[in-house]
Amino acid sequence: EVQLQASGGGLVQAGGSLSLSCRTSGFSGDDYFIAWFRQAPGKEREGLSCIGHSDGNTYYAASVKGRFAISSDNAKNTVYLQMNRLEPKDTAVYYCAARQGPTEYGCFPYYYGMDYWGKGTQVTVSS
C-alpha cells in the first residue's frame, strides 16, 4: 500500500531555513504527484506546492512562491520542501500527500482531491 512519511520539522527563528522530507513507498506506477500542505490551529488546510513524479512539473502557492522550493529524488523515493526566509505566519503542521493521475497539465494541491496522506510534522517559527 502507499505510505507517506513527512519529517524534518522543528523550531526555527524568523528569517531562518528548514528542509522537510516526504519519504514515499508503495507506488506501483509513475502517474502521480506529491503535494505539501500546512495547517495552523483554527485555519483551513492550505496547499503549498506539488511536483509530478515522472515529469517534474511543479506548482507553488503565492504565499510561498519565491521562498519555498520543492524537489524530488526519485532514486530515494523522497520529495523535499526547502523553506527559506521563514516567518512566524509559517508556523503550522506540515503534511505531504499524493494524488494518482496524470501531471501532463501540471499539478494542484487540492485538499479533497488527494488520495493519500502522511502524518504531519510541526514547524514552529519564533520571532
Side-chain angles (χ1 to χ4, degrees), residues 41-78:
K43 303 286 188 179
E44 296 279 325
R45 190 165 295 190
E46 177 187 14
L48 304 177
S49 184
C50 53
I51 184 168
H53 174 71
S54 296
D55 55 30
N57 287 340
T58 60
Y59 165 88
Y60 294 96
S63 59
V64 303
K65 188 174 180 63
R67 296 191 299 125
F68 292 9
I70 192 169
S71 62
S72 62
D73 186 339
N74 288 350
K76 297 181 179 180
N77 295 315
T78 302

Side-chain angles (χ1 to χ4, degrees), residues 5-114:
Q5 180 64 59
S7 62
L11 176 64
V12 64
Q13 290 188 324
S17 298
L18 202 61
S19 181
L20 305 181
S21 299
C22 178
R23 181 76 175 185
T24 73
S25 63
F27 288 103
S28 59
D30 295 325
D31 199 16
Y32 63 92
F33 68 83
I34 304 295
W36 286 98
F37 293 76
R38 68 185 179 189
Q39 188 167 26
K43 303 286 188 179
E44 296 279 325
R45 190 165 295 190
E46 177 187 14
L48 304 177
S49 184
C50 53
I51 184 168
H53 174 71
S54 296
D55 55 30
N57 287 340
T58 60
Y59 165 88
Y60 294 96
S63 59
V64 303
K65 188 174 180 63
R67 296 191 299 125
F68 292 9
I70 192 169
S71 62
S72 62
D73 186 339
N74 288 350
K76 297 181 179 180
N77 295 315
T78 302
V79 172
Y80 305 94
L81 185 68
Q82 178 66 45
M83 305 185 294
N84 301 315
R85 303 193 304 279
L86 285 162
E87 305 169 12
K89 66 181 180 181
D90 295 317
T91 295
V93 177
Y94 284 69
Y95 301 86
C96 61
R99 177 176 173 82
Q100 295 175 308
T103 59
E104 178 182 354
Y105 306 109
C107 63
F108 185 79
Y110 175 53
Y111 174 76
Y112 294 103
M114 307 309 293

